[in-house]
Amino acid sequence: MCTSNNARGLTHYGLIHSPSADLTATLAPMVTERLVSGEPVLAVLPSTTAAELRARLPTVTGLHTTDPGELYRHPGRVLSHYRAWIADTSSDGRSAMIVAAPDPGGDDPHRAALWMHIEAITTQALAECNLTLVCAYPNNSATADAIRRAHPSLVDESIRPNPDHLPAEQFLASHPLPPPAELGKPDLTHIIDHPPELATLRRIVAGHATLAGLPADRCDDFVMAVTEIATNALEHGTPPAAVLLWTIPASVICQISDTGQHTQP
């Protein structure tokens, strides 16, 4: 349960710190204030950082810890994990706090971009929760701009509203997901603007899938799936639509995207 009669809603902070900085020195006063007031706090931190945080606190009553590598292993499940913890520890709707050090993906640009999408959507998806969420990231030129854009407030020398924050639908439109890095350059790129071009697309895709070695029945399934999604892109999206195909061992992968924007992330 995320709502209560006196819920203040979600407060979502981004904290960008120097990799050499003592993160716990910034987090400890915030966590202490909540624990002293009786609020539960979940620290999603590496074990050494969690231990350093505990050592700085005057009380650990109400403090819960978990390993970020476990909680963030599957990015798509993160919001349900947050909601489950809130339900378990704040069933009466009282305030709660999560301080976290997510791993945005290391050298994997696709996972990093996906994680920033989740951060942007979190502000909307947990808006009714009586929760303070502090997300701490090391300062990295590759991700710093997206981190700022995804968080409504920032923690640096003080806590302040973030003038660079983008609402979720604007963030998703301006920070599209790149293809997974391991796929490399597409083996085929085809652009379609109008429904009559779907017949040509079917022939191209069928030929590509056949050359890639798909059995006839799987080739038919693949062509049908691509056609359905491409049709949706033309009829319900914003043409033109780009069709990208990759061949990897035992598989053919297709991505279809139009130029529309999410309005309900």
Side-chain angles (χ1 to χ4, degrees), residues 11-15 27 30 97-102 132-136 155:
T11 305
H12 191 191
Y13 297 124
L15 195 170
L27 293 178
M30 305 171 70
M97 182 183 215
I98 298 175
V99 294
T132 298
L133 175 59
V134 181
C135 305
V155 180

Side-chain angles (χ1 to χ4, degrees), residues 116-208:
M116 287 298 104
H117 276 208
I118 293 169
E119 283 278 32
I121 292 169
T122 294
T123 302
Q124 180 169 314
L126 301 183
E128 83 282 13
C129 293
N130 206 0
L131 176 69
T132 298
L133 175 59
V134 181
C135 305
Y137 293 92
N139 193 3
N140 182 321
S141 59
T143 56
D145 179 72
I147 292 168
R148 289 189 178 91
R149 301 288 184 181
H151 291 86
S153 300
L154 296 175
V155 180
D156 39 38
E157 291 83 5
S158 61
I159 296 174
R160 58 185 175 86
N162 177 16
D164 297 324
H165 172 247
L166 292 177
E169 64 274 12
Q170 293 181 28
F171 184 95
L172 268 60
S174 61
H175 293 75
L177 288 178
E182 60 268 23
L183 291 180
K185 184 179 179 180
D187 298 306
L188 174 69
T189 300
H190 187 72
I191 306 297
I192 55 175
D193 283 288
H194 307 287
E197 297 172 349
L198 290 168
T200 300
L201 176 65
R202 283 192 289 270
R203 289 194 296 271
I204 292 173
V205 171
H208 187 84

Side-chain angles (χ1 to χ4, degrees), residues 23-96:
L23 177 60
T24 61
T26 302
L27 293 178
M30 305 171 70
V31 172
T32 296
E33 179 182 356
R34 301 310 174 93
L35 293 176
V36 169
S37 67
E39 292 185 26
V41 175
L42 174 64
V44 191
L45 302 171
S47 57
T48 54
T49 308
E52 292 169 3
L53 177 63
R54 282 180 176 273
R56 287 180 174 270
L57 302 175
T59 177
V60 294
T61 301
L63 179 67
H64 307 252
T65 60
T66 191
D67 177 50
E70 183 65 29
L71 192 141
Y72 297 138
R73 179 174 299 172
H74 302 289
R77 301 177 185 173
V78 169
L79 292 175
S80 63
H81 289 327
Y82 284 168
R83 284 184 173 272
W85 178 78
I86 294 168
D88 288 344
T89 58
S90 301
S91 58
D92 56 357
R94 62 187 169 132
S95 299

